[in-house]
Amino acid sequence: MNHVAAHHPGFLSPTGVEITFVLVGLATLGAALLTVTTRQLVHAALWLVVALGGLAVEYLLLTAEFIAWVQVLIYVGSVVVLLLFGLMLTKAPIGRSPDADSENRWVALGVAAAAAVTLVWVVVDAFRSTWVDLHGVVQGSSHATGESLFRHWVLPFEALSVLLLAALVGAIVLSRRDGESAEANGTPGAGKEKS
């Protein structure tokens, strides 16, 4: 028993993967903070790309390659492109926007801290006695992930796709409303494309 414990590195001697995991996690946290604190919408979308890319690297370090590529393809690719597309359709300002700032920063910080503490508590409580079977099926493999996704998580997965579709439709509606109000006000050049 002591012989096995002597060869296990423990928490006081982290490996290179663990050090990289912590460093990437700190960089991802910094990018996430910049995402919600910047006053420029396009910069927020680009910092979101960095934060979601950092999560993909974390999945790679956890040997969950399939989840990492799903993170890159769906979130870094689709969601951020959809967000930028919505910003372009709604003609959001490129520079600093007074609408992107709120006077309720402390309230938002309190709600975010309470949500983070609740989420950490729920996850720790749910997985307190869970052990990973290292000799079974690899947890990040496409077989294990697909079985879990299509057996237990089908409804949230489809709800997310409906949410993204609703965001795109909302962006199109807002852009068309802006065009119609410009034509109603008689803005020069507003109806050039119809003639």
Side-chain angles (χ1 to χ4, degrees), residues 109-183:
L109 182 64
V111 170
V117 168
T118 304
L119 182 62
V120 168
W121 179 76
V122 166
V123 169
V124 168
D125 187 54
F127 295 103
R128 184 184 314 264
S129 60
T130 302
W131 296 94
V132 177
D133 182 15
L134 297 177
H135 302 293
V137 180
V138 180
Q139 295 298 316
S141 68
S142 58
H143 178 268
T145 304
E147 185 176 347
S148 176
L149 178 65
F150 293 111
R151 180 175 293 171
H152 305 293
W153 299 102
V154 174
L155 186 61
F157 191 72
E158 291 302 321
L160 178 64
S161 64
V162 171
L163 178 67
L164 293 176
L165 179 63
L168 180 61
V169 170
I172 292 171
V173 167
L174 286 175
S175 68
R176 291 183 61 85
R177 186 181 302 159
D178 288 343
E180 291 171 2
S181 65
E183 289 177 8

